[in-house]
Amino acid sequence: MSDEELAKDLGLVSAMTIGIGTMIGAGIFVLPGVAANAAGPIVVVSFVVGGVIAMVNALSVSELGTAMPKAGGGYYYINKSLGPLFGSIAGMGDWMGLAFASAFYCIGFGQYLAVFVGLPEVAFLDPIQVGALLAGAVFVGVNYIGAKETGGVQTVIVFVLLAILTAFALAGFLSFDYATLVGADGLAPFGTGAILPATALVFVSFLGYAKIATVAEELKNPGRNLPIAIIGSVAIVTVIYAVLVTTMLGIVPWPDLSTDAPVAQAAEVAFPSSIGPIGGVAAAAAAVMTLGALLATASSANASILASARINFAMGRDRIVTNWLNEIHPNYATPYRSILLTGGLIVVFIALLGRDIEVLAKAASVLHLIVYALMNVGLIVFREADVPEYDPDFRVPLYPITPILGAVLSLGLVAFMDGLEIALSAGFVLAAVAWYFAYARNKTTQQGVLSRYIRDRGEEFPDQVVDAADAVAPNGSDGPTIMVALANPRTESALITLAGALAEHEGGRVLATHVVTVPDQTSLATAAENRDRIDASSAELLDAATEDAAAFDVPIETRTILSHRGIEEVFDAARTNDADTVVMGYGGARFAGGRVEGTLDELTHDLPCDFLVLDGEDPTLSDVLVPTAGGPSSDLSAEVARALRETVGVDVSLLHVAEAGSEEAGREFLTDWAGDHGLEDAELIVDTGDVETVITRTGTAYGLVIVGATERGLLSRVVRGSLTFDSLTDLDTPVLLTERPSSRSLRERVFGRR
């Protein structure tokens, strides 16, 4: 059985966009009209107050998250600190709160969809509810089959939305009229007492940052990235709200601002009807804003459904709820029962409460505010109990004032909710308490720090609070580590042969890895518990690698890596395990795919080590051809060829393509190059003509062609084409691409140079 490693998939950009994307969807595109009708222009202050309350809570969430980067977020912290009774309240509250929020986002989607395409009434449902139900069904289906959401898609959505809103803000600035903002009744037509009730209404706009904590277990460098992502997302979104809501109210008088599609309405006023001969500009801008709203609300709803599944996983792990709810689908590897149950609740909320969006918004806020208050209390318990394992990388300033203030502000804001939302939330809290006494108390083995502190005050606690799965570098040889990224049984033998030859030649070791891609809806910890169901072939693949490596005198370690990403995880695994060389197959995939930050990472950083990428399933390792014109990657090609010659016994030929009339100079270069790289006895071939044509023509006679990467940057090699990638597609002979880390500037990596 191979070792198992849980990948740290989420970087700072992805984590921050999880929060920003959710909050932008609610606060900008859905609520300004409703909130302005309730408070007038002073609603801008309500958004800022909501941001301040969220920021105080964000500080506490950041400390708890860096101490316990575990799936489940607020539920996990409360369960560990206050015990399973309060954990049941927090878990159920978070779950129901996300269901209410998802229904709210779906209604927002339905509002803009009804404006954009028009929808009919169906039975007792109005057009907006029809659109919301269609959206909810699609989002539940997407999560059911395990489609990606929190990665590159979410990041792209956020950057597109920011671009759209920036354009709107610039146009709005030019059309802004202070007299329109103030209106006939002033900034506070309902008095300043309307600020906090409006804050209670719009606070649902600030729930997105908490979702970052639910995926903390999969965050890279959580001690640094978690606080930046949580605090940064709240700060950025608060500023966006203040600017854009002020802009909207300075364009459209607050009594006239639409409660269904406020941004589209304001955009049609802000943008000119025509620019020179180009007409229909305002209508096009309104359409773009509507599309942006659909994108934002869809992303928010989808992210909320995904987060709810993570909370259920955490509760199932602690036996607060039955693990039957977290059963993994045999084909999609998703928690389909949990997703379907959450989807059913969303449908019910849309059907029963969808005509009053304020009820959905406030019910989601009340439940989350209760959880925030409990989290602040839990932080104080951890601090006062002086638990040895509680060692956060980030600590809240002004302790204990900050967590006390967070709890007071959270519960204080609940007081400004309406009776219906408070009653609904109280019902769910009572149901959670009843569930604990009827089921969870007899199932769970968890014991909170609070109860142990009361019972054993002054004693050390033997139970650990934090348990993280850290990657451990392989043990064995002191030589270089040759990491093999296996994915296909058909290429396993060839890749292990290459890695084994290199390791034996250099006195190193082989680390065979298999990246098992897990749907975003399934936490990596749960995937580890269900690994056989998710990917039963991993053990077979790594067992075959162990057998094939026995042909070489090298130690080998195997490792299964559970990840939400695919090929880009190879780069992280290479860094984590201090690999000196990575050997992998090429199946048409680009080096940096999936999450946008993965692409940025490869463009802005050097490769972590030498990379060998094999295109072809079964190279004949009897003779190899090494084309060279010099350069670091050609040096690596020579090292690989020499290792194969000395361990496997292949014949090596060297090829240099010279300019016409410079054949003698080319032969002199090739002779010197062969001597410098220990390949004096290799056959030397000098030819003229087009480089790619010569390599293609000559390479067909060999069992393997080893090609060093050109000096073009990654982006130009993939997008514009290059010698390296053209050779991979033109040659029938298997090709081994070699690339050595370089110190190119960012401009050279992006645009390349010859």
Side-chain angles (χ1 to χ4, degrees):
M1 190 70 170
S2 66
D3 289 341
E4 192 167 76
E5 180 177 316
L6 304 186
K8 299 292 186 180
D9 283 335
L10 289 174
L12 177 59
V13 175
S14 283
M16 189 171 288
T17 54
I18 288 173
I20 293 176
T22 304
M23 290 189 278
I24 286 179
I28 295 301
F29 292 104
V30 179
L31 285 176
V34 176
N37 284 330
I42 206 168
V43 73
V44 175
V45 178
S46 299
F47 276 98
V48 174
V49 172
V52 171
I53 295 173
M55 182 61 75
V56 174
N57 286 317
L59 293 170
S60 295
V61 173
S62 296
E63 174 172 326
L64 291 165
T66 58
M68 295 166 285
K70 301 291 289 184
Y75 154 76
Y76 184 83
Y77 314 143
I78 294 166
N79 194 51
K80 287 292 183 183
S81 59
L82 304 181
L85 172 59
F86 290 99
S88 298
I89 295 172
M92 297 292 185
D94 247 351
W95 183 25
M96 291 299 104
L98 286 169
F100 275 118
S102 297
F104 166 73
Y105 301 139
C106 287
I107 290 292
F109 185 95
Q111 288 177 339
Y112 281 91
L113 188 63
V115 169
F116 193 61
V117 299
L119 294 169
E121 291 188 12
V122 177
F124 61 92
L125 303 174
D126 63 27
I128 291 175
Q129 287 174 293
V130 171
L133 288 174
L134 290 174
V138 171
F139 303 148
V140 170
V142 165
N143 282 275
Y144 184 93
I145 65 175
K148 287 282 188 180
E149 199 279 336
T150 60
V153 175
Q154 177 78 347
T155 306
V156 170
I157 287 173
V158 169
F159 281 105
V160 168
L161 290 176
L162 291 177
I164 291 174
L165 293 174
T166 299
F168 170 70
L170 292 174
F173 177 77
L174 298 176
S175 304
F176 183 85
D177 185 354
Y178 183 74
T180 302
L181 174 67
V182 176
D185 299 318
L187 291 173
F190 302 107
T192 56
I195 292 176
L196 289 178
T199 301
L201 171 61
V202 303
F203 192 76
V204 70
S205 306
F206 293 94
L207 303 183
Y209 73 89
K211 293 179 178 62
I212 300 172
T214 67
V215 295
E217 195 168 7
E218 295 153 24
L219 191 64
K220 298 176 184 177
N221 191 10
R224 170 186 176 273
N225 290 338
L226 188 70
I228 294 175
I230 291 176
I231 297 170
S233 63
V234 173
I236 291 171
V237 168
T238 302
V239 172
I240 291 174
Y241 287 163
V243 171
L244 292 183
V245 174
T246 302
T247 300
M248 274 187 270
L249 296 176
I251 298 171
V252 180
W254 67 266
D256 301 329
L257 191 61
S258 170
T259 57
D260 290 339
V263 179
Q265 178 195 19
E268 197 161 7
V269 176
F271 285 86
S273 59
S274 63
I275 300 177
I278 303 174
V281 174
V288 170
M289 291 299 160
T290 299
L291 289 173
L294 292 172
L295 199 63
T297 50
S299 173
S300 298
N302 212 22
S304 296
I305 295 171
L306 186 149
S308 69
R310 296 296 183 85
I311 292 169
N312 287 337
F313 273 133
M315 289 194 292
R317 182 166 55 190
D318 295 332
R319 300 180 184 177
I320 297 294
V321 298
T322 172
N323 248 341
W324 177 89
L325 194 62
N326 296 324
E327 178 74 18
I328 297 297
H329 194 283
N331 296 325
Y332 302 127
T334 57
Y336 66 101
R337 290 172 177 165
S338 173
I339 291 169
L340 288 176
L341 181 56
T342 302
L345 290 170
I346 292 170
V347 168
V348 170
F349 294 158
I350 291 173
L352 297 181
L353 304 172
R355 292 179 183 271
D356 192 347
I357 196 170
E358 294 185 37
V359 174
L360 293 173
K362 291 181 178 179
S365 295
V366 170
L367 289 167
H368 280 86
L369 286 166
I370 292 171
V371 174
Y372 294 156
L374 291 175
M375 276 196 290
N376 281 288
V377 174
L379 186 152
I380 294 172
V381 168
F382 277 128
R383 287 279 199 106
E384 296 305 310
D386 195 22
V387 181
E389 293 81 14
Y390 184 79
D391 185 23
D393 293 312
F394 172 87
R395 290 180 178 267
V396 298
L398 303 176
Y399 175 86
I401 296 174
T402 300
I404 292 174
L405 185 62
V408 171
L409 289 175
S410 297
L411 294 178
L413 192 58
V414 171
F416 291 92
M417 300 290 180
D418 293 334
L420 176 59
E421 294 86 33
I422 294 176
L424 280 173
S425 302
F428 282 119
V429 170
L430 292 175
V433 172
W435 176 263
Y436 168 76
F437 284 105
Y439 177 85
R441 184 175 61 170
N442 298 323
K443 300 289 185 181
T444 184
T445 58
Q446 293 290 325
Q447 185 180 18
V449 168
L450 179 61
S451 61
R452 299 201 306 268
Y453 178 66
I454 293 173
R455 187 191 63 204
D456 304 319
R457 186 170 183 176
E459 297 181 8
E460 289 191 357
F461 306 119
D463 297 336
Q464 286 195 353
V465 174
V466 183
D467 53 345
D470 297 322
V472 180
N475 297 315
S477 169
D478 293 329
T481 296
I482 313 299
M483 182 182 125
V484 188
L486 299 172
N488 189 336
R490 293 193 298 271
T491 59
E492 172 272 320
S493 180
L495 296 178
I496 289 295
T497 298
L498 288 169
L502 282 172
E504 183 175 313
H505 181 258
E506 299 176 15
R509 59 196 173 202
V510 173
L511 171 63
T513 63
H514 180 220
V515 177
V516 176
T517 304
V518 177
D520 282 345
Q521 290 76 9
T522 305
S523 74
L524 296 183
T526 301
E529 298 169 4
N530 295 272
R531 199 183 96 190
D532 291 342
R533 184 171 302 177
I534 291 174
D535 194 328
S537 65
S538 184
E540 296 178 8
L541 186 62
L542 294 175
D543 287 344
T546 302
E547 293 178 8
D548 289 334
F552 301 91
D553 185 21
V554 295
I556 179 172
E557 181 179 346
T558 61
R559 181 163 299 160
T560 298
I561 302 175
L562 301 176
S563 172
H564 288 304
R565 301 178 299 167
I567 189 171
E568 63 267 39
E569 179 59 37
V570 174
F571 290 90
D572 285 342
R575 295 185 183 98
T576 300
N577 293 286
D578 295 325
D580 298 276
T581 303
V582 170
V583 182
M584 61 184 290
Y586 176 87
R590 297 173 180 176
F591 274 123
R595 304 183 192 280
V596 168
E597 70 185 13
T599 304
L600 294 176
D601 185 61
E602 297 312 321
L603 290 174
T604 56
H605 295 84
D606 291 329
L607 291 174
C609 61
D610 294 342
F611 264 71
L612 310 179
V613 184
L614 177 67
D615 179 52
E617 295 181 1
D618 190 17
T620 303
L621 294 180
S622 58
D623 52 359
V624 301
L625 176 68
V626 182
T628 180
S633 292
S634 288
D635 294 344
L636 177 57
S637 298
E639 292 177 18
V640 175
R642 193 167 63 248
L644 290 173
R645 183 190 64 186
E646 296 177 9
T647 57
V648 182
V650 303
D651 296 324
V652 179
S653 297
L654 306 180
L655 170 66
H656 178 69
V657 182
E659 296 182 3
S662 303
E663 291 88 344
E664 189 59 36
R667 182 167 293 278
E668 183 178 342
F669 161 78
L670 195 57
T671 301
D672 292 342
W673 191 87
D676 292 341
H677 293 84
L679 296 171
E680 299 89 345
D681 55 350
E683 179 186 2
L684 305 183
I685 304 171
V686 177
D687 204 342
T688 60
D690 177 73
V691 174
E692 296 177 23
T693 302
V694 172
I695 292 176
T696 302
R697 182 180 64 243
T698 308
T700 56
Y702 291 85
L704 178 67
V705 178
I706 306 176
V707 182
T710 66
E711 292 187 3
R712 280 186 178 180
L714 174 68
L715 191 61
S716 61
R717 291 209 310 273
V718 174
V719 176
R720 295 204 303 261
S722 70
L723 166 62
T724 296
F725 283 84
D726 287 346
S727 298
L728 289 177
T729 57
D730 292 343
L731 268 173
D732 293 330
T733 302
V735 176
L736 184 68
L737 166 67
T738 67
E739 183 163 6
R740 176 151 278 170
S742 66
S743 56
R744 295 192 305 265
S745 67
L746 173 60
R747 179 184 178 281
E748 291 168 344
R749 291 192 190 97
V750 175
F751 299 107
R753 61 182 174 86
R754 283 290 192 184

